[in-house]
Amino acid sequence: MFQELYGWIQNITVYLLVTAAVMHAVPGKDYSKYIRFFSGLILVLLLASPILNLTGMAERFETLYKGNEYEMNRREIEKAEEFYENLKVTGADEKIEVEEIEIGE
């Protein structure tokens, strides 16, 4: 129990140090409000992590994320396979010649 609490406090401390370093490293003030907003969202998640772990929601979120990630990867592989099969049918996989390349600025 104390190790989990210590780890939680350590994660928050390291995160705040990294956020402060990033805020000081960013030139100008144009992006500071976006960085503060994004870092605030992450801080809320860090602060809520013990509650999510106690209720079991952290595992559920991880399962949902991995399921969506798996689906995206599967779709990309299917599209690549379909594209390759179309190339094989048309015979375009044998040789592709390029007549002219124009590079503009």
Side-chain angles (χ1 to χ4, degrees):
M1 167 98 176
F2 286 113
Q3 285 182 333
E4 291 174 9
L5 181 63
Y6 178 72
W8 179 61
I9 291 172
Q10 188 177 18
N11 286 342
I12 292 172
T13 304
V14 168
Y15 176 73
L16 290 174
L17 288 172
V18 169
T19 303
V22 168
M23 289 297 292
H24 288 293
V26 174
K29 299 292 181 186
D30 296 336
Y31 298 108
S32 64
K33 65 180 178 179
Y34 301 111
I35 294 171
R36 278 189 280 122
F37 175 74
F38 183 70
S39 63
L41 290 176
I42 293 175
L43 183 61
V44 167
L45 289 175
L46 279 173
L47 292 173
S49 63
I51 297 167
L52 294 175
N53 287 334
L54 287 175
T55 59
M57 292 299 292
E59 296 161 359
R60 183 154 187 218
F61 285 139
E62 185 176 341
T63 304
L64 288 172
Y65 172 73
K66 287 188 178 185
N68 288 337
E69 185 180 32
Y70 170 77
E71 278 298 313
M72 287 173 45
N73 288 338
R74 186 182 61 79
R75 287 182 190 144
E76 287 179 17
I77 290 171
E78 287 176 354
K79 285 180 185 177
E81 182 180 21
E82 183 179 315
F83 178 74
Y84 181 71
E85 290 298 322
N86 287 339
L87 284 178
K88 284 175 70 175
V89 168
T90 60
D93 63 339
E94 295 174 10
K95 189 174 184 181
I96 298 175
E97 292 185 25
V98 177
E99 292 181 16
E100 185 177 332
I101 297 177
E102 186 175 313
I103 300 175
E105 290 183 47

